[in-house]
């Protein structure tokens, strides 16, 4: 990425010494400072600094927090910010994040220390959310600008932003407008102050003027560089998720530990089986263990050969691969009932290489405790001594092996290290079964299973189960028991409306459920008008959060009305519209997702334990981590490690994992990636404290409640 180097009338030798530029081989200049790859986050407890910290957590980028609201916090002074190591000056932080352009009292020695530190080591500063004013390089909003809500506004990345830190975006930055009763985004829109060296990167129209106002821009003054952000946000909002990568890119100059991608994978469960159908009169699903009234006429949902043709054509048009999570007994039963005919299986097997395949056990049996279904909700059956009666190890072995044997006979390309049990059974399910089936781990060892799916809404976070590690999956509120949009809406209404409105009362019992409805949806339009946009936004939020965990739906959702596709298209279309070609979706299979999560966990543990050392001197980055812990970093294109190229291309840079043997790894940056430049500073005092900025109510996370799937 091209960068502009700003210089003053220093001699060439002095400039090289001041900036840590290379005068030949990497680290040849012994006077170049060491810049530790760590960010300083000075927090006031507001949502903006918390959001940036959450982004750093997500990417695996180390940072130190100073909490301004704590009476016992660290005092920021010269010794806290810098020192000397082995005779070389060391800057302990590669970037500084402040709540605003100056959160300290007038005449603060801490702000003076920060300003001097930034000037000396060319350390950039992010003003997480600040008032537009001349001290931040902008006119005040009352001088032809605007202050107020920008809910639903379409912002855009400027040419400078696309050529710089936001080059991974196509240009559009839509601001959410999810509730007409809540101010979700408040901003100060303004133009650069007269004479200010200010470059807008992201801007939006100033109402009634025909002029664009800055939302994010770079202000250069007094030998310092600030990224000035003039809108408030939280870590869950789409606009922040779109821009967070660029904020980190700007503050680190594209050289930092950690990495992120836009991940999206979709598992389709119960393939070859039929799924029970929601009964709109009984408000339950006959055949389900929790349906007290089993008088409904069975009317199962099963894909057809035409649905397979649609799925393969859809995959090819979207350049996306679905993971089919299958139960072989479904085809065996179908052939037994139809004189050996199963057109669905024939078509899927013929097109088997169009999909990825995952073992879902042979019959979809429940593999936890033996269920007592004579009561609702069901309970675990017990032995005479009161102990839990568990499904046996042999049964689990047979379910895994039987499906493998069927897949082998059908010629399905299967990875035997992956497993999804029926309803994620065998794993703990609260409240009925608080513990894993003790026979599950030995059975996984019998079968060589390394990656076991879990339900992220019930069992979040990766954990060990015998020889296997769980891979949490996000459930979509596209229900397993709905083949038609009207059925989906009817069940949605039942779940998320009040008892007085004919609903289940779930929201009355648990008001924190954010999918609650003020009134029932129209069964004819509610799916497309309400459920699809909401589910798209939730799934897209996972994609934009560097979250590789897969989503799961069911084969029923690819049948009949094919209700899954509007949501999937919404996610894919959203990414296509927002991101440049250099930032594609990453569509991994289950074992690769599991490995990514496992590496992240080890990396986080090493960071938390203080076992990672990383710094830059001129054109060389040195990282040392514990033996066996893979190192993750994002670096400029052309970076090498040892004798080979580092990483894979993504979002205009290269990033990835490199194994560590416990000794120092040296990454050599390309000659184009010069150390950050700065002007000779005048020694000017820091500006006056920023006025208090407005943070509107309602900036809270939305967490959907997921029904049983």
């Amino acid at each position: 990425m091209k960068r502009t180097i700003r210089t003053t009338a220093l001699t060439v030798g002095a400039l090289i010494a001041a900036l840590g530029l290379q005068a030949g081989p990497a680290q040849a200049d012994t006077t170049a400072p060491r810049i530790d790859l760590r960010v300083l986050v000075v927090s006031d407890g507001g949502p903006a600094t918390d959001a940036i910290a959450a982004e750093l957590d997500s990417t695996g980028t180390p940072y130190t927090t100073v909490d301004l609201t704590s009476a016992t916090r660290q005092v920021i002074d010269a010794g806290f910010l810098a020192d000397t190591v082995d005779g070389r000056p060391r800057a302990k932080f590669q970037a500084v994040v402040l709540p605003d352009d100056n959160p300290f009292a007038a005449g603060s020695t801490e702000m003076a220390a920060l300003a001097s530190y930034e000037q000396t080591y060319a350390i950039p500063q992010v003003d997480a959310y600040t008032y537009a004013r001349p001290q931040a390089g902008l006119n005040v909003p009352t001088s032809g600008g605007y202050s107020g809500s920008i809910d639903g506004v379409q912002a855009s990345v400027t040419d400078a932003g696309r050529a710089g830190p936001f080059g991974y975006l196509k240009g559009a930055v839509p601001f959410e407008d999810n509730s007409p009763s809540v101010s979700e985004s408040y901003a100060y829109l303004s133009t650069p102050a007269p004479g200010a060296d200010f470059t807008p990167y992201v801007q939006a129209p100033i109402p009634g003027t025909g002029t664009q106002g800055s939302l994010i821009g770079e202000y250069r003054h007094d030998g310092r560089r600030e990224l000035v952000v003039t809108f408030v946000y939280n870590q869950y909002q789409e606009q922040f998720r779109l821009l967070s990568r660029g904020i980190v890119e700007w503050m680190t100059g594209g050289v930092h530990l950690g990495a992120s991608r836009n991940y999206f994978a979709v598992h389709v469960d119960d393939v070859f089986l039929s799924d029970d159908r929601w009964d709109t009169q009984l408000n339950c699903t006959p055949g389900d263990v929790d349906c007290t009234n089993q008088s409904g006429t069975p009317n199962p949902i099963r894909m057809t050969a035409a649905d397979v043709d649609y799925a393969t054509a859809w995959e090819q048009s979207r350049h996306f691969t679905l993971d089919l999570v299958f139960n072989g007994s479904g085809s065996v039963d179908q052939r037994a009932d139809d004189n050996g005919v199963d057109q669905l299986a024939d078509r899927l097997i013929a097109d088997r290489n169009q999909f990825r395949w995952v073992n879902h056990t042979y019959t979809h049996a429940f593999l936890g405790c033996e269920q007592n279904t004579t009561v609702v909700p069901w309970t675990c059956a017990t032995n005479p001594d009161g102990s839990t009666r568990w499904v046996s190890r042999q049964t689990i072995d047979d379910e895994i092996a039987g499906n493998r044997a069927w897949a082998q006979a059908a010629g399905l390309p299967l990875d035997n290290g992956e497993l999804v049990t029926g309803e994620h059974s065998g794993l703990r399910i609260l409240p009925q079964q608080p513990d894993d089936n003790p026979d599950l781990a030995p059975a996984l060892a019998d079968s060589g299973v390394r990656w076991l799916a879990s339900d992220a809404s019930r069992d979040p976070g990766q954990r060990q189960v015998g020889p296997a590690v769980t891979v949490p999956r996000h459930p979509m509120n596209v229900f397993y028991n709905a083949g038609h949009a009207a059925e989906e809406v009817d069940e949605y209404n039942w779940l998320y409306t009040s008892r007085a409105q004919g609903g289940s009362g779930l929201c009355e019992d648990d008001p924190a459920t954010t999918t609650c409805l003020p009134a029932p949806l129209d069964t004819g339009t509610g799916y497309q008008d309400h459920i699809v946009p909401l589910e798209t936004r939730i799934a897209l939020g996972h994609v934009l959060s560097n979250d590789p965990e897969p989503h799961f739906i069911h084969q029923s959702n690819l049948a009949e009305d094919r209700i899954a596709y509007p949501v999937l298209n919404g996610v894919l279309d959203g990414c296509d519209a927002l991101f440049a070609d250099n930032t594609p979706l990453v569509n991994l299979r289950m074992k690769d997702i599991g490995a990514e999560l496992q590496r992240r966990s080890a990396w986080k543990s090493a960071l938390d334990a203080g076992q990672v050392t990383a710094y830059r001197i001129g054109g060389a980055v040195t990282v040392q981590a514990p033996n066996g812990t893979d190192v993750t970093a994002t670096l400029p294109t052309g970076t090498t490690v040892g004798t080979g190229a580092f990483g894979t291309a993504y979002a205009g840079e290269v990033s990835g994992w490199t194994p560590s043997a416990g000794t120092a790894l040296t990454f050599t940056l390309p000659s184009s990636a010069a150390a950050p430049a700065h002007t000779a500073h005048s020694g000017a005092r820091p500006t006056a404290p920023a006025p208090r900025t407005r943070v509107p109510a309602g900036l809270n996370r939305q967490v959907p409640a997921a029904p049983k799937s």
Side-chain angles (χ1 to χ4, degrees), residues 422-443:
E423 298 182 61
H424 303 100
S425 60
L427 296 172
R428 60 196 180 205
I429 299 177
L430 297 176
Q432 295 102 318
Q433 184 193 311
D435 301 307
D436 296 341
N437 183 342
D439 289 319
L440 177 62

Side-chain angles (χ1 to χ4, degrees), residues 277-293:
R277 188 184 302 272
W278 174 257
D279 190 305
T280 59
Q281 300 302 312
L282 299 176
N283 287 327
C284 68
T285 306
D288 187 279
V289 295
D290 286 340
C291 188
T292 57
N293 190 334

Side-chain angles (χ1 to χ4, degrees), residues 137-162:
L138 293 167
N139 290 309
V140 294
T142 53
S143 298
Y146 169 80
S147 60
S149 172
I150 56 169
D151 293 2
V153 164
Q154 181 94 334
S156 60
V157 181
T158 66
D159 290 343
R162 284 194 297 272

Side-chain angles (χ1 to χ4, degrees), residues 183-198:
S183 176
E184 300 164 50
S185 299
Y186 192 95
Y188 304 102
L189 293 173
S190 187
T191 54
D197 187 355
F198 191 100

Side-chain angles (χ1 to χ4, degrees), residues 48-353:
T49 48
D50 285 353
I52 293 175
E55 172 67 11
L56 298 175
D57 278 327
S58 170
T59 59
T61 302
Y63 65 95
T64 295
T65 301
V66 173
D67 182 359
L68 295 179
T69 67
S70 172
T72 59
R73 70 172 176 86
Q74 170 69 51
V75 174
I76 300 172
D77 56 22
F80 172 70
L81 296 168
D83 61 9
T84 301
V85 175
D86 297 329
R88 185 186 298 275
R90 174 176 72 149
K92 297 181 184 179
F93 308 101
Q94 67 180 134
V96 174
V97 178
L98 298 183
D100 51 54
D101 62 287
N102 184 353
F104 301 96
S108 166
T109 58
E110 290 185 288
M111 192 65 227
L114 280 168
S116 177
Y117 173 71
E118 292 168 9
Q119 291 165 334
T120 301
Y121 294 100
I123 301 300
Q125 173 183 306
V126 175
D127 305 334
Y129 170 48
T130 197
Y131 183 72
R133 62 190 188 126
Q135 292 90 335
L138 293 167
N139 290 309
V140 294
T142 53
S143 298
Y146 169 80
S147 60
S149 172
I150 56 169
D151 293 2
V153 164
Q154 181 94 334
S156 60
V157 181
T158 66
D159 290 343
R162 284 194 297 272
F166 299 97
Y168 58 92
L169 294 173
K170 278 189 175 176
V173 182
F175 275 62
E176 292 183 355
D177 186 12
N178 300 317
S179 173
S181 62
V182 176
S183 176
E184 300 164 50
S185 299
Y186 192 95
Y188 304 102
L189 293 173
S190 187
T191 54
D197 187 355
F198 191 100
T199 303
Y201 288 148
V202 181
Q203 57 190 13
I206 298 175
T209 67
T211 303
Q212 296 285 320
S214 180
L215 288 167
I216 300 179
E218 180 174 338
Y219 178 41
R220 295 167 293 272
H221 64 104
D222 301 320
R224 299 167 61 205
R225 297 167 58 234
E226 295 179 46
L227 192 71
V228 179
V229 184
T230 58
F231 69 96
V232 70
Y233 47 89
N234 68 42
Q235 62 182 293
Y236 306 105
Q237 290 179 304
E238 181 177 301
Q239 56 265 29
F240 172 73
R241 300 264 29 110
L242 287 172
L243 297 168
S244 58
R245 177 190 294 275
I247 294 172
V248 174
E249 156 71 15
W250 183 89
M251 75 167 79
T252 63
V255 178
H256 64 88
L257 298 180
S260 67
R261 299 277 194 278
N262 294 340
Y263 295 97
F264 192 47
V266 178
H267 290 190
V268 184
D269 287 10
D270 301 352
V271 171
F272 299 119
L273 287 178
S274 298
D275 283 303
D276 295 326
R277 188 184 302 272
W278 174 257
D279 190 305
T280 59
Q281 300 302 312
L282 299 176
N283 287 327
C284 68
T285 306
D288 187 279
V289 295
D290 286 340
C291 188
T292 57
N293 190 334
Q294 297 291 337
S295 62
T297 302
N299 184 17
I301 311 163
R302 189 172 191 255
M303 289 175 66
T304 65
D307 295 325
V308 178
D309 292 341
Y310 189 94
T312 56
W314 179 85
E315 283 190 325
Q316 291 166 5
S317 69
R318 301 314 309 242
H319 307 289
F320 189 85
T321 301
L322 296 168
D323 294 86
L324 301 190
V325 185
F326 71 97
N327 310 90
S329 69
S331 178
V332 173
D333 292 344
Q334 176 65 26
R335 294 190 192 279
D337 293 341
D338 198 16
N339 297 317
V341 176
D342 185 0
Q343 294 180 353
L344 169 63
D346 291 344
R347 187 61 55 84
L348 279 171
I349 291 168
D351 290 344
R352 57 187 173 272
N353 292 325

Side-chain angles (χ1 to χ4, degrees), residues 352-676:
R352 57 187 173 272
N353 292 325
Q354 302 298 315
F355 307 97
R356 292 190 292 250
W357 297 88
V358 184
N359 188 348
H360 197 26
T361 72
Y362 186 59
T363 70
H364 200 278
F366 190 85
L367 301 179
C369 62
E370 293 189 13
Q371 293 174 293
N372 173 14
T373 60
T374 62
V375 293
V376 175
W378 62 268
T379 60
C380 286
T382 57
N383 296 308
D385 64 359
S387 61
T388 300
R389 189 185 308 164
W390 298 103
V391 171
S392 70
R393 175 175 176 176
Q394 185 62 56
T395 298
I396 302 172
D397 283 343
D398 291 346
E399 282 288 322
I400 298 170
N403 214 37
R404 286 180 180 174
W406 185 89
Q408 183 176 12
L412 299 185
L414 192 64
D415 189 308
N416 287 335
E418 302 172 334
L419 179 68
V420 181
T421 57
E423 298 182 61
H424 303 100
S425 60
L427 296 172
R428 60 196 180 205
I429 299 177
L430 297 176
Q432 295 102 318
Q433 184 193 311
D435 301 307
D436 296 341
N437 183 342
D439 289 319
L440 177 62
L444 299 177
D446 295 341
S447 304
V449 173
R450 293 191 57 209
W451 308 107
L452 178 66
S454 63
D455 184 336
S457 68
R458 295 172 171 171
D459 198 358
Q462 202 172 34
R463 64 185 180 92
Q464 198 80 29
V465 182
V469 179
T470 59
V471 179
R473 305 190 303 164
H474 295 296
M476 284 186 166
N477 269 355
V478 182
F479 303 143
Y480 82 99
N481 50 4
H484 296 297
E487 295 165 347
E488 164 84 12
V489 175
D490 185 87
E491 184 174 3
Y492 203 91
N493 285 339
W494 163 254
L495 285 168
Y496 300 128
T497 58
S498 68
R499 292 181 178 89
Q501 295 168 324
S504 67
L506 168 69
C507 292
E508 294 162 278
D509 298 337
D510 184 7
T513 305
T514 58
T515 39
C516 297
L517 298 170
L521 302 173
D522 184 289
T523 55
T525 61
Y527 184 65
Q528 194 63 43
D529 292 349
H530 179 88
I531 298 175
V532 168
L534 177 58
E535 288 305 304
T536 298
R537 179 162 55 84
I538 292 170
L540 187 59
H542 297 148
V543 173
L544 302 184
S545 299
N546 191 33
D547 182 353
E549 294 176 356
H551 295 75
F552 71 96
I553 55 175
H554 294 79
Q555 65 83 32
S556 52
N557 308 140
L558 304 187
E560 299 180 347
D561 286 354
R562 299 170 180 160
I563 61 177
Y565 291 108
V567 176
L568 304 186
N569 285 332
V571 174
L572 300 180
D573 289 343
C575 289
D576 287 347
L578 296 169
F579 290 95
D581 292 342
N582 66 2
T583 311
L585 276 177
V586 179
N587 176 219
L588 301 179
R589 73 171 300 139
M590 181 173 162
K591 69 174 183 180
D592 297 321
I593 294 169
E596 171 70 17
L597 293 171
Q598 198 171 43
R599 283 193 292 258
R600 290 188 189 188
S601 178
W603 176 249
K604 183 179 186 304
S605 295
L607 289 178
D608 290 346
Q611 297 173 324
V612 177
T613 301
Y615 55 88
R616 175 180 182 174
I617 299 175
V621 170
T622 301
V623 183
Q624 187 158 359
N627 184 24
T629 299
D630 290 350
V631 169
T632 178
T634 298
L635 300 168
T637 300
T639 296
T640 60
V641 56
T643 59
F646 166 71
T648 56
Y650 197 80
E653 298 177 306
V654 290
S655 54
W657 296 91
T658 296
S660 170
T663 56
L665 292 166
T666 299
F667 299 83
T668 302
L669 307 181
S671 58
S672 59

